[in-house]
PDB file of all heavy atoms in Angstrom:
ATOM      1  N   LEU A 261       4.813   8.307 -14.816  1.00  0.00           N
ATOM      2  CA  LEU A 261       5.421   7.547 -13.748  1.00  0.00           C
ATOM      3  C   LEU A 261       4.755   6.150 -13.690  1.00  0.00           C
ATOM      4  O   LEU A 261       3.519   6.069 -13.598  1.00  0.00           O
ATOM      5  CB  LEU A 261       5.227   8.279 -12.385  1.00  0.00           C
ATOM      6  CG  LEU A 261       5.773   7.562 -11.176  1.00  0.00           C
ATOM      7  CD1 LEU A 261       7.299   7.457 -11.251  1.00  0.00           C
ATOM      8  CD2 LEU A 261       5.338   8.317  -9.951  1.00  0.00           C
ATOM      9  N   VAL A 262       5.567   5.108 -13.865  1.00  0.00           N
ATOM     10  CA  VAL A 262       5.037   3.752 -13.863  1.00  0.00           C
ATOM     11  C   VAL A 262       5.611   2.964 -12.677  1.00  0.00           C
ATOM     12  O   VAL A 262       6.793   3.083 -12.346  1.00  0.00           O
ATOM     13  CB  VAL A 262       5.481   3.030 -15.157  1.00  0.00           C
ATOM     14  CG1 VAL A 262       4.993   1.601 -15.225  1.00  0.00           C
ATOM     15  CG2 VAL A 262       4.958   3.827 -16.384  1.00  0.00           C
ATOM     16  N   GLY A 263       4.771   2.211 -12.012  1.00  0.00           N
ATOM     17  CA  GLY A 263       5.127   1.402 -10.862  1.00  0.00           C
ATOM     18  C   GLY A 263       6.198   0.393 -11.204  1.00  0.00           C
ATOM     19  O   GLY A 263       6.379   0.017 -12.358  1.00  0.00           O
ATOM     20  N   PRO A 264       6.908  -0.089 -10.203  1.00  0.00           N
ATOM     21  CA  PRO A 264       8.003  -1.053 -10.401  1.00  0.00           C
ATOM     22  C   PRO A 264       7.472  -2.426 -10.863  1.00  0.00           C
ATOM     23  O   PRO A 264       6.382  -2.795 -10.638  1.00  0.00           O
ATOM     24  CB  PRO A 264       8.674  -1.144  -9.076  1.00  0.00           C
ATOM     25  CG  PRO A 264       7.589  -0.795  -8.075  1.00  0.00           C
ATOM     26  CD  PRO A 264       6.705   0.218  -8.812  1.00  0.00           C
ATOM     27  N   GLY A 265       8.383  -3.190 -11.490  1.00  0.00           N
ATOM     28  CA  GLY A 265       8.063  -4.571 -11.858  1.00  0.00           C
ATOM     29  C   GLY A 265       6.964  -4.732 -12.853  1.00  0.00           C
ATOM     30  O   GLY A 265       6.225  -5.728 -12.873  1.00  0.00           O
ATOM     31  N   GLY A 266       6.759  -3.721 -13.757  1.00  0.00           N
ATOM     32  CA  GLY A 266       5.722  -3.855 -14.774  1.00  0.00           C
ATOM     33  C   GLY A 266       4.330  -3.719 -14.172  1.00  0.00           C
ATOM     34  O   GLY A 266       3.362  -4.102 -14.791  1.00  0.00           O
ATOM     35  N   SER A 267       4.244  -3.089 -13.029  1.00  0.00           N
ATOM     36  CA  SER A 267       2.957  -2.885 -12.376  1.00  0.00           C
ATOM     37  C   SER A 267       2.082  -2.093 -13.278  1.00  0.00           C
ATOM     38  O   SER A 267       2.503  -1.171 -13.985  1.00  0.00           O
ATOM     39  CB  SER A 267       3.156  -2.143 -11.088  1.00  0.00           C
ATOM     40  OG  SER A 267       1.958  -1.697 -10.559  1.00  0.00           O
ATOM     41  N   PRO A 268       0.754  -2.428 -13.291  1.00  0.00           N
ATOM     42  CA  PRO A 268      -0.181  -1.607 -14.098  1.00  0.00           C
ATOM     43  C   PRO A 268      -0.493  -0.217 -13.477  1.00  0.00           C
ATOM     44  O   PRO A 268      -1.231   0.508 -14.079  1.00  0.00           O
ATOM     45  CB  PRO A 268      -1.472  -2.515 -14.141  1.00  0.00           C
ATOM     46  CG  PRO A 268      -1.396  -3.317 -12.871  1.00  0.00           C
ATOM     47  CD  PRO A 268       0.112  -3.526 -12.623  1.00  0.00           C
ATOM     48  N   LYS A 269       0.047   0.055 -12.325  1.00  0.00           N
ATOM     49  CA  LYS A 269      -0.171   1.340 -11.714  1.00  0.00           C
ATOM     50  C   LYS A 269       0.693   2.401 -12.397  1.00  0.00           C
ATOM     51  O   LYS A 269       1.875   2.242 -12.492  1.00  0.00           O
ATOM     52  CB  LYS A 269       0.179   1.280 -10.221  1.00  0.00           C
ATOM     53  CG  LYS A 269      -0.551   0.261  -9.452  1.00  0.00           C
ATOM     54  CD  LYS A 269      -1.996   0.622  -9.273  1.00  0.00           C
ATOM     55  CE  LYS A 269      -2.674  -0.418  -8.411  1.00  0.00           C
ATOM     56  NZ  LYS A 269      -4.081  -0.275  -8.349  1.00  0.00           N
ATOM     57  N   LYS A 270       0.040   3.477 -12.876  1.00  0.00           N
ATOM     58  CA  LYS A 270       0.800   4.544 -13.521  1.00  0.00           C
ATOM     59  C   LYS A 270       0.006   5.812 -13.362  1.00  0.00           C
ATOM     60  O   LYS A 270      -1.188   5.828 -13.133  1.00  0.00           O
ATOM     61  CB  LYS A 270       1.052   4.212 -14.989  1.00  0.00           C
ATOM     62  CG  LYS A 270      -0.191   3.906 -15.764  1.00  0.00           C
ATOM     63  CD  LYS A 270       0.126   3.468 -17.174  1.00  0.00           C
ATOM     64  CE  LYS A 270      -1.131   3.036 -17.869  1.00  0.00           C
ATOM     65  NZ  LYS A 270      -0.846   2.411 -19.148  1.00  0.00           N
ATOM     66  N   VAL A 271       0.762   6.949 -13.434  1.00  0.00           N
ATOM     67  CA  VAL A 271       0.144   8.276 -13.387  1.00  0.00           C
ATOM     68  C   VAL A 271       0.851   9.187 -14.362  1.00  0.00           C
ATOM     69  O   VAL A 271       2.088   9.197 -14.440  1.00  0.00           O
ATOM     70  CB  VAL A 271       0.124   8.842 -11.939  1.00  0.00           C
ATOM     71  CG1 VAL A 271       1.589   9.010 -11.439  1.00  0.00           C
ATOM     72  CG2 VAL A 271      -0.594  10.095 -11.825  1.00  0.00           C
ATOM     73  N   LEU A 272       0.066   9.930 -15.069  1.00  0.00           N
ATOM     74  CA  LEU A 272       0.600  10.943 -15.995  1.00  0.00           C
ATOM     75  C   LEU A 272       0.854  12.214 -15.216  1.00  0.00           C
ATOM     76  O   LEU A 272      -0.095  12.820 -14.749  1.00  0.00           O
ATOM     77  CB  LEU A 272      -0.363  11.165 -17.127  1.00  0.00           C
ATOM     78  CG  LEU A 272       0.083  12.097 -18.265  1.00  0.00           C
ATOM     79  CD1 LEU A 272       1.356  11.517 -18.940  1.00  0.00           C
ATOM     80  CD2 LEU A 272      -1.048  12.254 -19.286  1.00  0.00           C
ATOM     81  N   LEU A 273       2.134  12.569 -15.024  1.00  0.00           N
ATOM     82  CA  LEU A 273       2.502  13.749 -14.203  1.00  0.00           C
ATOM     83  C   LEU A 273       2.414  15.042 -15.016  1.00  0.00           C
ATOM     84  O   LEU A 273       2.011  16.088 -14.445  1.00  0.00           O
ATOM     85  CB  LEU A 273       3.926  13.587 -13.673  1.00  0.00           C
ATOM     86  CG  LEU A 273       4.120  12.458 -12.724  1.00  0.00           C
ATOM     87  CD1 LEU A 273       5.650  12.331 -12.453  1.00  0.00           C
ATOM     88  CD2 LEU A 273       3.353  12.615 -11.436  1.00  0.00           C
ATOM     89  N   LEU A 274       2.725  14.972 -16.301  1.00  0.00           N
ATOM     90  CA  LEU A 274       2.754  16.222 -17.083  1.00  0.00           C
ATOM     91  C   LEU A 274       2.529  15.859 -18.579  1.00  0.00           C
ATOM     92  O   LEU A 274       3.148  14.961 -19.096  1.00  0.00           O
ATOM     93  CB  LEU A 274       4.165  16.846 -16.928  1.00  0.00           C
ATOM     94  CG  LEU A 274       4.439  18.133 -17.732  1.00  0.00           C
ATOM     95  CD1 LEU A 274       3.702  19.277 -17.038  1.00  0.00           C
ATOM     96  CD2 LEU A 274       5.930  18.471 -17.704  1.00  0.00           C
ATOM     97  N   SER A 275       1.651  16.620 -19.199  1.00  0.00           N
ATOM     98  CA  SER A 275       1.382  16.457 -20.610  1.00  0.00           C
ATOM     99  C   SER A 275       0.696  17.693 -21.152  1.00  0.00           C
ATOM    100  O   SER A 275      -0.288  18.129 -20.587  1.00  0.00           O
ATOM    101  CB  SER A 275       0.532  15.212 -20.900  1.00  0.00           C
ATOM    102  OG  SER A 275       0.321  15.056 -22.270  1.00  0.00           O
ATOM    103  N   ASP A 276       1.204  18.267 -22.221  1.00  0.00           N
ATOM    104  CA  ASP A 276       0.651  19.428 -22.879  1.00  0.00           C
ATOM    105  C   ASP A 276       0.371  20.577 -21.893  1.00  0.00           C
ATOM    106  O   ASP A 276      -0.666  21.193 -21.922  1.00  0.00           O
ATOM    107  CB  ASP A 276      -0.663  19.054 -23.596  1.00  0.00           C
ATOM    108  CG  ASP A 276      -0.446  17.998 -24.684  1.00  0.00           C
ATOM    109  OD1 ASP A 276       0.615  18.092 -25.376  1.00  0.00           O
ATOM    110  OD2 ASP A 276      -1.234  17.088 -24.821  1.00  0.00           O
ATOM    111  N   ALA A 277       1.357  20.812 -21.009  1.00  0.00           N
ATOM    112  CA  ALA A 277       1.256  21.916 -20.067  1.00  0.00           C
ATOM    113  C   ALA A 277       2.610  22.561 -19.905  1.00  0.00           C
ATOM    114  O   ALA A 277       3.620  22.007 -20.334  1.00  0.00           O
ATOM    115  CB  ALA A 277       0.787  21.369 -18.712  1.00  0.00           C
ATOM    116  N   GLY A 278       2.602  23.764 -19.375  1.00  0.00           N
ATOM    117  CA  GLY A 278       3.886  24.451 -19.106  1.00  0.00           C
ATOM    118  C   GLY A 278       4.211  25.512 -20.159  1.00  0.00           C
ATOM    119  O   GLY A 278       5.219  26.227 -19.971  1.00  0.00           O
ATOM    120  N   GLY A 279       3.453  25.603 -21.184  1.00  0.00           N
ATOM    121  CA  GLY A 279       3.686  26.686 -22.210  1.00  0.00           C
ATOM    122  C   GLY A 279       4.913  26.497 -23.038  1.00  0.00           C
ATOM    123  O   GLY A 279       5.538  25.420 -23.078  1.00  0.00           O
ATOM    124  N   ASN A 280       5.223  27.510 -23.773  1.00  0.00           N
ATOM    125  CA  ASN A 280       6.337  27.473 -24.769  1.00  0.00           C
ATOM    126  C   ASN A 280       7.523  28.367 -24.367  1.00  0.00           C
ATOM    127  O   ASN A 280       8.268  28.795 -25.218  1.00  0.00           O
ATOM    128  CB  ASN A 280       5.796  27.884 -26.156  1.00  0.00           C
ATOM    129  CG  ASN A 280       4.877  26.822 -26.709  1.00  0.00           C
ATOM    130  OD1 ASN A 280       5.134  25.655 -26.600  1.00  0.00           O
ATOM    131  ND2 ASN A 280       3.771  27.233 -27.270  1.00  0.00           N
ATOM    132  N   ILE A 281       7.643  28.679 -23.092  1.00  0.00           N
ATOM    133  CA  ILE A 281       8.738  29.477 -22.561  1.00  0.00           C
ATOM    134  C   ILE A 281       9.771  28.487 -22.005  1.00  0.00           C
ATOM    135  O   ILE A 281       9.440  27.599 -21.236  1.00  0.00           O
ATOM    136  CB  ILE A 281       8.279  30.455 -21.473  1.00  0.00           C
ATOM    137  CG1 ILE A 281       7.279  31.455 -22.075  1.00  0.00           C
ATOM    138  CG2 ILE A 281       9.459  31.190 -20.910  1.00  0.00           C
ATOM    139  CD1 ILE A 281       6.607  32.317 -21.084  1.00  0.00           C
ATOM    140  N   ALA A 282      10.999  28.598 -22.480  1.00  0.00           N
ATOM    141  CA  ALA A 282      12.070  27.662 -22.165  1.00  0.00           C
ATOM    142  C   ALA A 282      12.251  27.547 -20.635  1.00  0.00           C
ATOM    143  O   ALA A 282      12.172  28.535 -19.907  1.00  0.00           O
ATOM    144  CB  ALA A 282      13.387  28.111 -22.826  1.00  0.00           C
ATOM    145  N   LEU A 283      12.541  26.329 -20.180  1.00  0.00           N
ATOM    146  CA  LEU A 283      12.881  26.038 -18.785  1.00  0.00           C
ATOM    147  C   LEU A 283      14.324  25.636 -18.764  1.00  0.00           C
ATOM    148  O   LEU A 283      14.752  24.757 -19.552  1.00  0.00           O
ATOM    149  CB  LEU A 283      11.986  24.939 -18.264  1.00  0.00           C
ATOM    150  CG  LEU A 283      12.276  24.435 -16.858  1.00  0.00           C
ATOM    151  CD1 LEU A 283      12.067  25.539 -15.846  1.00  0.00           C
ATOM    152  CD2 LEU A 283      11.430  23.228 -16.529  1.00  0.00           C
ATOM    153  N   SER A 284      15.133  26.243 -17.952  1.00  0.00           N
ATOM    154  CA  SER A 284      16.542  25.975 -17.889  1.00  0.00           C
ATOM    155  C   SER A 284      16.968  25.566 -16.433  1.00  0.00           C
ATOM    156  O   SER A 284      16.721  26.347 -15.497  1.00  0.00           O
ATOM    157  CB  SER A 284      17.364  27.177 -18.332  1.00  0.00           C
ATOM    158  OG  SER A 284      18.721  26.934 -18.209  1.00  0.00           O
ATOM    159  N   ASN A 285      17.540  24.403 -16.316  1.00  0.00           N
ATOM    160  CA  ASN A 285      17.959  23.880 -15.021  1.00  0.00           C
ATOM    161  C   ASN A 285      16.901  23.984 -13.930  1.00  0.00           C
ATOM    162  O   ASN A 285      17.145  24.356 -12.815  1.00  0.00           O
ATOM    163  CB  ASN A 285      19.264  24.583 -14.554  1.00  0.00           C
ATOM    164  CG  ASN A 285      20.001  23.837 -13.555  1.00  0.00           C
ATOM    165  OD1 ASN A 285      19.936  22.625 -13.508  1.00  0.00           O
ATOM    166  ND2 ASN A 285      20.694  24.544 -12.647  1.00  0.00           N
ATOM    167  N   GLY A 286      15.680  23.579 -14.338  1.00  0.00           N
ATOM    168  CA  GLY A 286      14.558  23.660 -13.384  1.00  0.00           C
ATOM    169  C   GLY A 286      14.544  22.492 -12.368  1.00  0.00           C
ATOM    170  O   GLY A 286      15.110  21.437 -12.628  1.00  0.00           O
ATOM    171  N   ARG A 287      13.925  22.772 -11.268  1.00  0.00           N
ATOM    172  CA  ARG A 287      13.656  21.780 -10.279  1.00  0.00           C
ATOM    173  C   ARG A 287      12.119  21.701 -10.078  1.00  0.00           C
ATOM    174  O   ARG A 287      11.569  22.606  -9.488  1.00  0.00           O
ATOM    175  CB  ARG A 287      14.338  22.071  -8.905  1.00  0.00           C
ATOM    176  CG  ARG A 287      14.150  20.982  -7.883  1.00  0.00           C
ATOM    177  CD  ARG A 287      14.940  21.349  -6.585  1.00  0.00           C
ATOM    178  NE  ARG A 287      14.973  20.263  -5.673  1.00  0.00           N
ATOM    179  CZ  ARG A 287      14.006  20.028  -4.724  1.00  0.00           C
ATOM    180  NH1 ARG A 287      13.053  20.894  -4.566  1.00  0.00           N
ATOM    181  NH2 ARG A 287      14.114  19.044  -3.919  1.00  0.00           N
ATOM    182  N   VAL A 288      11.501  20.647 -10.591  1.00  0.00           N
ATOM    183  CA  VAL A 288      10.061  20.548 -10.557  1.00  0.00           C
ATOM    184  C   VAL A 288       9.699  19.344  -9.677  1.00  0.00           C
ATOM    185  O   VAL A 288      10.189  18.239  -9.874  1.00  0.00           O
ATOM    186  CB  VAL A 288       9.495  20.314 -12.023  1.00  0.00           C
ATOM    187  CG1 VAL A 288       7.995  20.151 -12.004  1.00  0.00           C
ATOM    188  CG2 VAL A 288       9.897  21.549 -12.881  1.00  0.00           C
ATOM    189  N   VAL A 289       8.820  19.624  -8.688  1.00  0.00           N
ATOM    190  CA  VAL A 289       8.413  18.633  -7.703  1.00  0.00           C
ATOM    191  C   VAL A 289       6.936  18.378  -7.886  1.00  0.00           C
ATOM    192  O   VAL A 289       6.146  19.343  -7.909  1.00  0.00           O
ATOM    193  CB  VAL A 289       8.761  19.081  -6.299  1.00  0.00           C
ATOM    194  CG1 VAL A 289       8.361  18.059  -5.275  1.00  0.00           C
ATOM    195  CG2 VAL A 289      10.273  19.408  -6.151  1.00  0.00           C
TER     196      VAL A 289
END
Side-chain angles (χ1 to χ4, degrees):
L261 179 65
V262 179
S267 170
K269 304 287 184 190
K270 56 188 172 186
V271 62
L272 186 60
L273 297 174
L274 180 73
S275 181
D276 299 321
N280 292 316
I281 298 171
L283 175 64
S284 178
N285 198 31
R287 182 176 190 270
V288 178
V289 179

